[in-house]
């Protein structure tokens, strides 16, 4: 079972048809063929507007898959083995009060969402100066969130980060996915060793053009490269 914490798609207003076809070929279709259920919440990049989640990419693009369950607005409680998990979609103006009230009243063990929490790293070294107060979530054993690309942890809150590099701000950072054990509630990180962005440092005071020509570049195929 996959629990996806939002931003299934990256662009808020449209999608390239070839990108959609690739997503289906490499991800959505194999999930369906393997009979794997995916529970997903909306992220801010899945929704068109900032005040409502009514228009969203999951509703428009994934409705053909009966193994994908999307939670669009209000938090929903799920139970796996003895573990209760409340999943909270991206909070917008229309759902702000009801979402926080549902979280406050929840007796779930684990909270999973797509949160904007003040004080966490949006990107490496850049802290968010706005958003929710982390104290809103003190009651939970653990809180796992999507949204910020950079993985980080403070107290019971953990941003899992993206599963792969998406832009240069993700360069040289650990990426991957996590396996959550619903019996002992442990989290195991599985690192993605594939890198999309590379840097080659070249100094002609101690390297010749022949040295450069003989560098092993086998791992650079189909990647983005900066030569410094």
């Amino acid at each position: 079972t996959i629990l996806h914490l939002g931003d299934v798609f990256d662009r808020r207003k449209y999608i390239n048809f070839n990108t959609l076809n690739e997503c289906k070929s490499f991800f959505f279709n194999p999930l369906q063929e393997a009979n794997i259920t995916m529970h997903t919440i909306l992220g801010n990049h899945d929704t068109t507007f900032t005040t409502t989640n009514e228009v969203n990419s999951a509703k428009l693009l994934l409705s053909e898959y009966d193994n994908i369950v999307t939670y669009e607005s209000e938090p929903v409680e799920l139970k796996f083995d003895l573990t209760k998990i409340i999943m909270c979609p991206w909070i917008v103006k229309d759902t702000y009060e009801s979402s926080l009230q549902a979280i406050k009243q929840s007796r779930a063990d684990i909270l999973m969402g797509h949160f904007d929490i003040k004080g966490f790293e949006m990107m490496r070294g850049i802290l968010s100066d706005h958003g929710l107060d982390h104290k809103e979530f003190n009651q939970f054993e653990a809180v796992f969130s999507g949204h910020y690309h950079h993985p980080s942890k403070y107290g019971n809150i953990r941003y899992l980060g993206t599963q792969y590099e998406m832009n240069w701000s993700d360069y040289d950072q650990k990426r991957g996915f996590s396996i959550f054990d619903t019996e002992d509630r442990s989290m195991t990180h599985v690192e993605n060793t594939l890198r999309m962005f590379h840097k080659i440092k070249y100094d002609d005071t101690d390297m010749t053009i022949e040295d450069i020509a003989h560098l092993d570049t086998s791992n650079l195929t189909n990647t983005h490269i900066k030569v410094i």
Side-chain angles (χ1 to χ4, degrees):
T1 301
I2 293 177
L3 303 180
H4 195 295
L5 303 189
D7 287 352
V8 175
F9 298 100
D10 187 48
R11 296 187 179 273
R12 300 177 69 111
K13 298 183 182 297
Y14 58 85
I15 188 168
N16 177 288
F17 289 135
N18 185 57
T19 300
L20 179 59
N21 183 63
E22 294 287 275
C23 289
K24 290 186 175 185
S25 298
F26 287 107
F27 189 48
F28 301 124
N29 290 345
L31 287 185
Q32 188 177 54
E33 292 163 5
N35 197 30
I36 294 175
T37 298
M38 182 169 80
H39 298 270
T40 180
I41 55 177
L42 294 185
N44 59 311
H45 285 216
D46 295 314
T47 64
T48 300
F49 302 111
T50 58
T51 57
T52 176
N53 289 339
E54 179 62 28
V55 180
N56 64 79
S57 55
K59 180 193 294 184
L60 295 170
L61 301 177
L62 301 180
S63 58
E64 66 185 272
Y65 297 98
D66 55 10
N67 62 312
I68 298 178
V69 183
T70 304
Y71 307 106
E72 300 180 17
S73 55
E74 303 298 328
V76 175
E77 286 196 5
L78 306 174
K79 187 174 182 180
F80 300 96
D81 297 320
L82 297 178
T83 300
K84 288 184 179 180
I85 299 174
I86 180 169
M87 298 187 69
C88 182
W90 175 246
I91 298 175
V92 291
K93 182 180 179 181
D94 287 356
T95 63
Y96 183 84
E97 291 192 11
S98 59
S99 293
L100 291 186
Q101 186 68 15
I103 290 172
K104 184 177 180 179
Q105 294 176 347
S106 175
R107 296 296 177 263
D109 308 293
I110 306 295
L111 170 62
M112 295 190 181
H114 196 90
F115 298 119
D116 197 3
I117 304 176
K118 189 188 308 181
F120 282 83
E121 287 183 286
M122 298 183 292
M123 294 179 285
R124 184 164 51 184
I126 301 178
L127 301 181
S128 172
D129 60 359
H130 60 276
L132 299 168
D133 191 319
H134 66 88
K135 295 177 183 177
E136 298 274 3
F137 311 125
N138 282 346
Q139 74 197 71
F140 296 98
E141 180 181 316
V143 179
F144 301 109
S145 182
H147 191 41
Y148 297 154
H149 291 195
H150 183 68
S152 62
K153 182 179 180 181
Y154 176 78
N156 64 333
I157 300 174
R158 179 173 172 182
Y159 276 93
L160 300 176
T162 55
Q163 296 86 47
Y164 43 83
E165 296 175 337
M166 297 181 68
N167 49 50
W168 276 104
S169 65
D170 298 332
Y171 171 74
D172 197 28
Q173 298 179 43
K174 288 186 177 181
R175 292 290 182 259
F177 66 94
S178 297
I179 299 174
F180 181 69
D181 190 315
T182 54
E183 293 184 352
D184 64 17
R185 299 175 192 165
S186 62
M187 182 77 87
T188 304
H189 184 71
V190 180
E191 185 173 355
N192 178 3
T193 58
L194 299 176
R195 294 286 179 263
M196 190 183 299
F197 299 94
H198 298 270
K199 292 182 181 180
I200 297 176
K201 295 184 178 181
Y202 161 61
D203 186 343
D204 62 6
T205 60
D206 56 17
M207 295 182 74
T208 66
I209 194 66
E210 288 77 18
D211 294 330
I212 297 294
H214 289 90
L215 285 176
D216 181 9
T217 58
S218 58
N219 66 325
L220 304 181
T221 303
N222 295 324
T223 64
H224 301 273
I225 305 164
K226 280 185 178 180
V227 178
I228 303 169

